[in-house]
Amino acid sequence: MAIITLATDYGNSDGYNAAVIGVIKSLSPGAEVIEITNGFSSIAKTSLVLWRYYSQFPKGTIHLVVIDPTVGTSRRALVGTDGNYCFVGPDNGIFTRIMEACPDSLWYEIDPTRLPANTVSNTFHGRDIFAPAAAFFANGILPESFSKKINDAVKVDIPKPIITAKRISGEIIDIDSFGNLIINISGESLGDKPKVILKGKKLRLGKFYADARPGNPIAYIGSLGLLEIALNGKRADKYFQVKVGTPVKVTI
Amino acid sequence: MAIITLATDYGNSDGYNAAVIGVIKSLSPGAEVIEITNGFSSIAKTSLVLWRYYSQFPKGTIHLVVIDPTVGTSRRALVGTDGNYCFVGPDNGIFTRIMEACPDSLWYEIDPTRLPANTVSNTFHGRDIFAPAAAFFANGILPESFSKKINDAVKVDIPKPIITAKRISGEIIDIDSFGNLIINISGESLGDKPKVILKGKKLRLGKFYADARPGNPIAYIGSLGLLEIALNGKRADKYFQVKVGTPVKVTI
Amino acid sequence: MAIITLATDYGNSDGYNAAVIGVIKSLSPGAEVIEITNGFSSIAKTSLVLWRYYSQFPKGTIHLVVIDPTVGTSRRALVGTDGNYCFVGPDNGIFTRIMEACPDSLWYEIDPTRLPANTVSNTFHGRDIFAPAAAFFANGILPESFSKKINDAVKVDIPKPIITAKRISGEIIDIDSFGNLIINISGESLGDKPKVILKGKKLRLGKFYADARPGNPIAYIGSLGLLEIALNGKRADKYFQVKVGTPVKVTI
């Protein structure tokens, strides 16, 4: 029984998510649809969050992601695979981090005329294109039979840290719902006794939130393997008055 | 394995949805419960949204909908079927559009004394009446055995457009979470070159958002087959300062 | 097929819930994961809400609850069972009402070194400790094999009513998303003709909301078997200007 995860920006009041799930279950009754969220927002964040969860699922899982601000333009509809997982969604950069993590992954442009729907609406591709494509994967249909290989899938710009002998200059790439700051600096690059500097404040590297006194900040290697900064018991984003893009420096 | 969709206004903090799902799984362990939302609000909107998704699911799916502001009054508890799908919920108008779309659909008043629960609370019919009724359907029990046929199920008023030879006068019947405006004018009634008029602004009929320049409005036939108005990349409801009920005219 | 319910405070934008579900499905592919919410907040409320739904599920269901403000401190990771249901989550009091309702329930401290994950992060125990433990339960592995029995699991303070011959003094212990007030006074203790007093206002005991005129308050025995106060059609918390902890008196 194939698993299809579903992540969208459809919200919880319009039933768009339901229409997508209904189409999948109609075309692939045995598929197990697991709705991750209907509350995604930006393309960049979606790319990061998908990277967080995709490989936790069993191999063979199909990840359907519909954050699609340019639905109905000429943007292409994608399917892809890294050999272990399948991906379905718009070609707008949401799969960037998958492509970076898996340079050998293969990507295909869906040909809507080869999908089972009789009519493809111009504004609801989640229901009319992406759901059928995910069901095809679940039914073991190969992407070659309803899409054609491409080599120029859209990527969003992912900020890279600048690494020198004594210093790494990175930035905040995400703030999670707890206010924790996620930074584009790998835990492996930090050496023995790094000093983390955010807005002039020097932080030592701890293991978890409680390594700081309550209300105080701490840096640590987070669950993605990246440097993070949090407060013990409060929101770090409010404390530091920072946002995505704020620079973070590490002296090694 | 029967599918039961669940849509409520229970919110995400009180576990009322969990209690409903638990009762269903206890009474019908093989049923697959798919929670659509716990964030519904008004009866009129629920009726519209249910109409959007119900027929996307495989035939035999049971749609359980609990938006029930008058729980514990004398309002009746309903089950119904259109021959393909089953419906369970309060008799307050949430099934109006199903009834309009399927005039032959059959509706029944649940007799709580014929449900398995020993006690039926006065304030949590989702758990005590509707969940058991949905599980009954999933177990193949016919509505006649726990409910009696009625012919006067409650309907809410659905605004109809006024159609003359040269003009259709309709109104906005829903605004979705993206700010798109959904209008009670069928796409089939629009003729060759309609002009859509909202608050004095004439809009041409396009195919999708991107037929307008960024930030500009466009009219199109939406995924429900109804006229819609959106902005390319922004919220149409904010741009036009409109709400549900605002008139829309089309000259044919 | 074991059912695992999942309730967290992870929100709907970061994919932490997805990572947890993915780990469960990887370790126990046959488990049916039912996400109750990712929107829980306080420990006290979680304890109450879990009590509302846990026993509605079929016996054997595993309830995974991750509201974990002190993740990464020395707080223990728990599993427990009352003989019918299994529980997994942090040792911070979220299971208090289960412990009170089932004094014979057994509780164990998880030994992370006996879990299958190669690495246990310090900040994401939902993924690295609790998800594997829930999957173990689903696979029929006994708690003794990955955890050790304890007798001092953390409990939060649960306010008890003071009962005298003529009067019960309780308080509001929860306000649900509809604004209904839930009070720590059992329906069974109320006698024949109780008078309920909140902020100087005397309320009679009805059966449901509609026993009051629209906009008026009513007391009734709610679906938990506890005294509740609601308004017919409006929010009681706003009407009375009350919060959790506000005293409620009943004269018998």
Side-chain angles (χ1 to χ4, degrees), chain B residues 53-226:
Chain B
Y53 69 73
Y54 84 99
S55 63
Q56 305 288 349
F57 280 84
K59 288 179 183 176
T61 295
I62 299 146
H63 295 294
L64 171 54
V65 188
V66 193
I67 288 77
D68 195 14
T70 52
V71 61
T73 68
S74 58
R75 74 99 187 88
R76 299 171 296 192
L78 281 192
V79 295
T81 176
D82 69 348
N84 291 316
Y85 300 95
C86 298
F87 305 92
V88 180
D91 181 27
N92 59 16
I94 52 177
F95 300 117
T96 303
R97 282 180 185 272
I98 306 293
M99 295 170 187
E100 301 250 319
C102 323
D104 295 338
S105 59
L106 302 175
W107 298 88
Y108 305 81
E109 178 183 0
I110 299 173
D111 177 355
T113 66
R114 296 161 87 177
L115 294 175
N118 294 320
T119 56
V120 172
S121 78
N122 293 302
T123 53
F124 195 4
H125 287 185
R127 180 191 70 184
D128 298 334
I129 295 179
F130 299 122
F136 271 26
F137 267 131
N139 292 343
I141 298 173
L142 294 176
E144 285 79 1
S145 70
F146 63 95
S147 55
K148 72 162 200 275
K149 205 167 163 306
I150 59 172
N151 293 301
D152 59 348
V154 170
K155 290 185 185 185
V156 290
D157 187 47
I158 293 187
K160 308 279 189 215
I162 298 168
I163 306 179
T164 63
K166 294 198 161 179
R167 175 184 273 210
I168 306 174
S169 297
E171 65 185 72
I172 297 171
I173 54 170
D174 188 42
I175 297 174
D176 75 13
S177 67
F178 300 100
N180 300 332
L181 316 176
I182 297 163
I183 295 144
N184 64 341
I185 296 178
S186 158
E188 293 164 3
S189 63
L190 288 179
D192 258 5
K193 285 198 172 174
K195 281 231 163 57
V196 177
I197 304 160
L198 173 59
K199 290 189 93 173
K201 189 143 195 159
K202 285 188 189 167
L203 306 171
R204 64 187 187 80
L205 194 71
K207 292 219 173 223
F208 32 67
Y209 315 129
D211 276 345
R213 281 168 310 201
N216 278 35
I218 187 81
Y220 57 94
I221 311 303
S223 56
L224 277 173
L226 296 178

Side-chain angles (χ1 to χ4, degrees), chain C residues 120-131:
Chain C
V120 173
S121 77
N122 293 301
T123 53
F124 195 4
H125 287 184
R127 180 190 70 183
D128 298 335
I129 295 179
F130 299 120

Side-chain angles (χ1 to χ4, degrees), chain C residues 125-176:
Chain C
H125 287 184
R127 180 190 70 183
D128 298 335
I129 295 179
F130 299 120
F136 271 26
F137 267 130
N139 293 343
I141 298 174
L142 294 176
E144 285 79 1
S145 69
F146 62 96
S147 56
K148 71 162 199 277
K149 207 166 161 305
I150 60 173
N151 294 300
D152 59 347
V154 170
K155 290 185 186 185
V156 290
D157 187 46
I158 292 185
K160 308 278 188 218
I162 297 167
I163 306 178
T164 64
K166 296 200 160 178
R167 175 183 274 210
I168 307 174
S169 298
E171 63 185 74
I172 297 172
I173 54 170
D174 188 41
I175 298 174
D176 76 13

Side-chain angles (χ1 to χ4, degrees), chain A residues 112 115-122 124 127-129:
Chain A
L115 295 174
N118 294 320
T119 56
V120 172
S121 77
N122 294 301
F124 195 4
R127 179 190 72 184
D128 298 334
I129 295 179

